[in-house]
Amino acid sequence: MCSACKERDKNKKRIGIIAANVVLTAAFAALLFPLLRKGSLSFLTLTAALLGLLAILPLVLRPWQHAPAAVLLLHDALLLASSAAASLVLVEYLVKGCSIGLETSFWQGWLVYLAINILLYLITGRVRISVCVGMAVAMAHGLIDHYVLLFRGTPVLLSDVYSIGTAANVAESYSAPVELSVLWVVGAAVLYCVCVCLMQRRWKVRRLWTLPGAAVLAVVVFAGLHITDTGFNLWQSNKTYSEIYYFLRCAVSSAVSKPNGYTAEKLDEIESNYQGADGTQTPNLIVIMNESFADLQAVGEFETNEDYMPFVHSMLDGAENTVSGELLVSTFGGGTSNTEFEFLTGSSMGFLPYGTTPYQVYLRSDTPGLVSGLAKQGYRTVSLHPYSSSSWNREKVYEYLGFDEQLYDTDFPADVERIRTYISDHADYQKVIELYENKQPDEPLFLFNVTMQNHGGYDSVNTTNFEERIHLTGEFAGEYPQVDQYLSLVRYSDEAIQELVEYFADADEPTAIVFFGDHQPGVTNGFYDELLGEAAQSDAREPRQVKLVTPFFIWANYDIEEAQDVQISANYLAAYALDTLGCATSAYDALRLQTRQAVPRVNNDGFYTADGEWHAIAMAEDYAALTDYRMMQYTQLFDHKNRNDAWYETAS
């Protein structure tokens, strides 16, 4: 082929590439620019304009052929900044419609994405690889965050990374809808990466991953974050910050430091101030933590075709030998193990970093508390969960807490009754009865049972072995099928717990049942918003505490003093139940019971004082009534060297 022909072919190819780049860049711009008028960006015109300019500039202004190294290096820097801007806008739109409470939070997020891109660039020396991998990381985080928020109502945090096995176990119960927002964002991300990959680049810098390079990156990023600093409050929602910044700040804050004034001498002083008490009863203790069991009327009023929990309502209304009320928890829509943690250890999520999961992060060795204390009293301690043993690291954690035996779904027959895909509460409680009937007569039983029947998601796909018995009427009739399904499940649970109570009412041995829900369900957000009214539009945490309450009751087949409308939080419940039932209590129980007089309820958002006032959890460190409790919790979980295990265990 003649040289002229070759040159003509090269020119055609070059023109074709240029044309493709122009079309693809225009397509990307067409997808990106409408997002710059969404959410907070709709009125933050300067921020929106700068992000748009950063995202598109290096795609339009490309270096010429045989450009000098300085120009190519400058273009690389622009591309890294461009990818960070595009990643920020796409992820923020996908997760929360570009709505952020603080303008500078956009730039905090941009700096984090920029740091990721620069880090990749320092390692690889290739801008195209760095940009595409950085975009892939951003999209993976954004998509996961989008669907987790959709199903659970809370964003992805570091502890969710440790919980990947649990997520895999329950993912099959949810159906991920294909949404326009997802297609829009993924399409824009793919177009952006194609635009970058089509650039005719032979430029490759020497790998710069050296100590000086890393030091410069760290200085630049931290200086930038300092300039854009808005402060950071763990109790605030992700709506205040960019998603990637919120995730990383929560991750960094997962470390727990010693409380102020924490010394060995102070621990000795606290230990001497509290003593456990001998009990008059050693009943069989059956604890039922019912999955997603809640009375949604606590959030707001609505009508149904019939009462969805008539038996539990009768227990809450002052049944004989029953103490009942409202339980404040630290999780919504998921995070079951955190309520378990508070009940079984007596520790509070309020003294731990927001968004952490102790079962995954902190419990790594034997931990004294309720279970080990009862075991030393001669109780047979058994855990029962009719689902996979891999969820929430339970096998290891239950061993650390002192359970003698663990039972899971594999301990049920293959033809066990199921509602939807989960083992029913009725079948679960039959196993409870079986364990009671097969135990040694002179050996009291402590059984901690985490049910599974009511687990989300609640949708039309998941209706096997299910009959809708309850549905919304009145103004919400037909509007929220997820709520209809959930309330029908609650009705099944109500019948099952009634059967269990009636069985033990006729039992020969003294027996007590402690029943409570682990958290409210992650049903349609719109339903909660309607129930909350104006509070749904507020960023204030206190009005939303109604989404963090579940019903509880303590019932015995022997005489106990009745009470109703008791307000308590999950960290106090075990100590309160032992005291109510006439059982022996530990010194740690005594501390918590005394603390409860001044601070009746506490969770990871805040705490209520005896006068009914709510305070943000940031105030806890300065609140004297919580000082001893905070210190002894730190010792229980982290200071094994100075820990006196017997102090945390029930008196014999």
Side-chain angles (χ1 to χ4, degrees):
M1 181 181 293
C2 65
S3 58
C5 294
K6 289 181 180 180
E7 186 63 28
R8 188 167 53 251
D9 289 343
K10 285 183 181 180
N11 289 334
K12 286 182 179 179
K13 182 178 180 182
R14 191 177 299 116
I15 293 171
I17 292 174
I18 292 173
N21 281 326
V22 170
V23 171
L24 291 171
T25 300
F28 169 72
L31 290 176
L32 180 72
F33 286 171
L35 306 186
L36 299 173
R37 296 190 293 272
K38 301 291 185 181
S40 303
L41 291 177
S42 64
F43 54 85
L44 301 176
T45 53
L46 180 59
T47 293
L50 288 174
L51 287 172
L53 181 64
L54 279 170
I56 206 71
L57 187 64
L59 301 183
V60 176
L61 299 179
R62 305 180 184 217
W64 59 92
Q65 194 173 18
H66 308 303
V71 172
L72 293 173
L73 186 60
L74 175 61
H75 190 257
D76 283 1
L78 288 175
L79 269 177
L80 297 174
S82 166
S83 175
S87 296
L88 174 74
V89 174
L90 294 177
V91 170
E92 292 306 319
Y93 170 70
L94 180 62
V95 179
K96 51 183 185 283
C98 289
S99 294
I100 293 180
L102 301 169
E103 180 175 9
T104 50
S105 291
F106 280 107
W107 296 109
Q108 286 175 328
W110 176 77
L111 279 166
V112 174
Y113 285 123
L114 179 62
I116 293 172
N117 290 343
I118 294 175
L119 179 61
L120 292 167
Y121 187 66
L122 291 176
I123 294 172
T124 66
R126 293 180 179 273
V127 73
R128 287 188 288 187
I129 293 176
S130 304
V131 164
C132 292
V133 172
M135 181 65 74
V137 170
M139 286 301 99
H141 176 242
L143 287 167
I144 292 170
D145 222 5
H146 169 76
Y147 284 112
V148 169
L149 270 168
L150 182 65
F151 297 139
R152 190 180 69 185
T154 56
V156 169
L157 298 170
L158 176 64
S159 55
D160 294 310
V161 176
Y162 294 100
S163 309
I164 192 68
T166 301
N169 287 337
V170 302
E172 62 186 24
S173 302
Y174 295 88
S175 57
V178 178
E179 301 162 282
L180 178 60
S181 60
V182 172
L183 296 176
W184 191 294
V185 166
V186 171
V190 170
L191 279 173
Y192 182 88
C193 291
V194 172
C195 287
V196 172
C197 289
L198 284 178
M199 289 182 178
Q200 298 299 291
R201 302 293 301 274
R202 297 187 181 276
W203 161 257
K204 179 180 183 296
V205 300
R206 183 174 61 87
R207 292 188 181 186
L208 302 174
W209 180 240
T210 61
L211 185 59
V216 170
L217 170 62
V219 169
V220 170
V221 172
F222 279 109
L225 291 177
H226 178 73
I227 292 170
T228 61
D229 186 33
T230 58
F232 186 75
N233 292 310
L234 285 165
W235 57 268
Q236 287 185 311
S237 73
N238 62 319
K239 291 183 179 179
T240 305
Y241 310 99
S242 68
E243 290 303 301
I244 189 66
Y245 181 74
Y246 184 77
F247 175 85
L248 292 177
R249 282 300 299 263
C250 286
V252 169
S253 301
S254 63
V256 180
S257 57
K258 290 181 180 180
N260 293 332
Y262 184 89
T263 63
E265 293 74 21
K266 181 62 176 177
L267 299 184
D268 290 340
E269 177 188 333
I270 296 173
E271 286 187 14
S272 65
N273 289 339
Y274 301 93
Q275 289 81 38
D278 294 331
T280 59
Q281 299 281 350
T282 54
N284 299 302
L285 294 171
I286 297 171
V287 178
I288 307 292
M289 191 176 81
N290 196 277
E291 170 64 39
S292 300
F293 190 92
D295 189 348
L296 298 184
Q297 293 276 7
V299 182
E301 294 184 0
F302 57 87
E303 298 176 1
T304 57
N305 59 314
E306 62 179 77
D307 192 346
Y308 45 86
M309 53 172 71
F311 178 73
V312 171
H313 280 153
S314 72
M315 300 296 276
L316 298 175
D317 289 341
E320 185 179 7
N321 296 324
T322 302
V323 173
S324 63
E326 201 170 66
L327 183 72
L328 183 70
V329 299
S330 293
T331 185
F332 170 80
T336 294
S337 70
N338 285 356
T339 306
E340 284 185 49
F341 164 78
E342 291 192 304
F343 180 85
L344 292 173
T345 66
S347 293
S348 172
M349 292 298 298
F351 302 143
L352 297 174
Y354 196 89
T356 55
T357 303
Y359 272 23
Q360 305 285 2
V361 182
Y362 302 127
L363 291 186
R364 297 298 182 188
S365 61
D366 291 349
T367 303
L370 173 68
V371 185
S372 59
L374 290 174
K376 289 183 177 179
Q377 284 191 80
Y379 274 82
R380 179 190 175 198
T381 58
V382 181
S383 68
L384 172 62
H385 178 50
Y387 200 61
S388 170
S389 61
S390 63
S391 296
W392 298 120
N393 196 33
R394 281 193 178 98
E395 280 190 292
K396 279 295 184 183
V397 170
Y398 284 172
E399 179 183 334
Y400 297 148
L401 293 176
F403 280 103
D404 298 322
E405 184 179 3
Q406 302 181 35
L407 301 174
Y408 296 98
D409 55 353
T410 53
D411 295 291
F412 288 79
D415 61 348
V416 63
E417 178 187 76
R418 294 178 182 270
I419 293 180
R420 303 183 301 161
T421 58
Y422 300 119
I423 293 175
S424 70
D425 283 0
H426 171 77
D428 178 275
Y429 298 159
Q430 291 303 304
K431 177 65 74 173
V432 171
I433 293 171
E434 176 187 320
L435 290 166
Y436 166 75
E437 292 180 343
N438 292 335
K439 77 178 187 67
Q440 296 298 319
D442 58 345
E443 182 182 50
L445 173 67
F446 171 67
L447 175 59
F448 182 70
N449 178 205
V450 181
T451 70
M452 196 65 187
Q453 173 191 288
N454 300 335
H455 197 286
Y458 314 102
D459 53 51
S460 59
V461 176
N462 199 3
T463 56
T464 306
N465 308 315
F466 169 80
E467 177 188 352
E468 184 178 294
R469 301 165 59 186
I470 306 294
H471 56 265
L472 295 167
T473 58
E475 62 176 315
F476 299 133
E479 290 191 25
Y480 298 107
Q482 286 191 6
V483 178
D484 293 340
Q485 184 179 112
Y486 170 73
L487 293 175
S488 297
L489 292 169
V490 167
R491 187 69 177 91
Y492 283 109
S493 291
D494 187 77
E495 290 177 345
I497 191 61
Q498 179 177 1
E499 291 175 3
L500 188 68
V501 169
E502 290 175 349
Y503 172 86
F504 281 106
D506 297 327
D508 295 330
E509 297 182 12
T511 301
I513 294 176
V514 181
F515 177 92
F516 59 96
D518 58 348
H519 54 71
Q520 291 189 20
V523 295
T524 310
N525 288 335
F527 180 68
Y528 278 110
D529 290 344
E530 292 210 53
L531 295 185
L532 285 169
E534 292 182 3
Q537 308 304 319
S538 171
D539 288 333
R541 304 298 295 177
E542 196 278 332
R544 296 172 178 270
Q545 295 301 294
V546 292
K547 293 178 66 176
L548 296 169
V549 295
T550 66
F552 85 92
F553 66 78
I554 302 166
W555 170 87
N557 64 359
Y558 57 90
D559 288 336
I560 62 171
E561 185 176 350
E562 293 91 357
Q564 60 188 104
D565 299 322
V566 174
Q567 300 291 305
I568 196 170
S569 50
N571 56 302
Y572 297 130
L573 185 57
Y576 180 75
L578 292 175
D579 185 58
T580 296
L581 295 167
C583 301
T585 54
S586 69
Y588 193 37
D589 293 331
L591 183 156
R592 300 196 325 275
L593 290 171
Q594 180 168 315
T595 303
R596 181 175 174 266
Q597 294 179 18
V599 185
R601 296 186 290 167
V602 58
N603 65 5
N604 57 358
D605 278 336
F607 58 95
Y608 289 90
T609 48
D611 58 6
E613 290 295 315
W614 186 85
H615 306 269
I617 199 62
M619 301 291 293
E621 190 169 352
D622 301 322
Y623 198 74
L626 294 170
T627 300
D628 289 357
Y629 184 13
R630 188 187 193 105
M631 288 191 178
M632 298 314 292
Q633 172 171 319
Y634 181 87
T635 307
Q636 180 195 32
L637 299 179
F638 305 110
D639 191 2
H640 301 171
K641 179 180 178 181
N642 291 308
R643 186 178 68 197
N644 175 9
D645 288 4
W647 192 85
Y648 293 89
E649 295 171 337
T650 309
S652 59

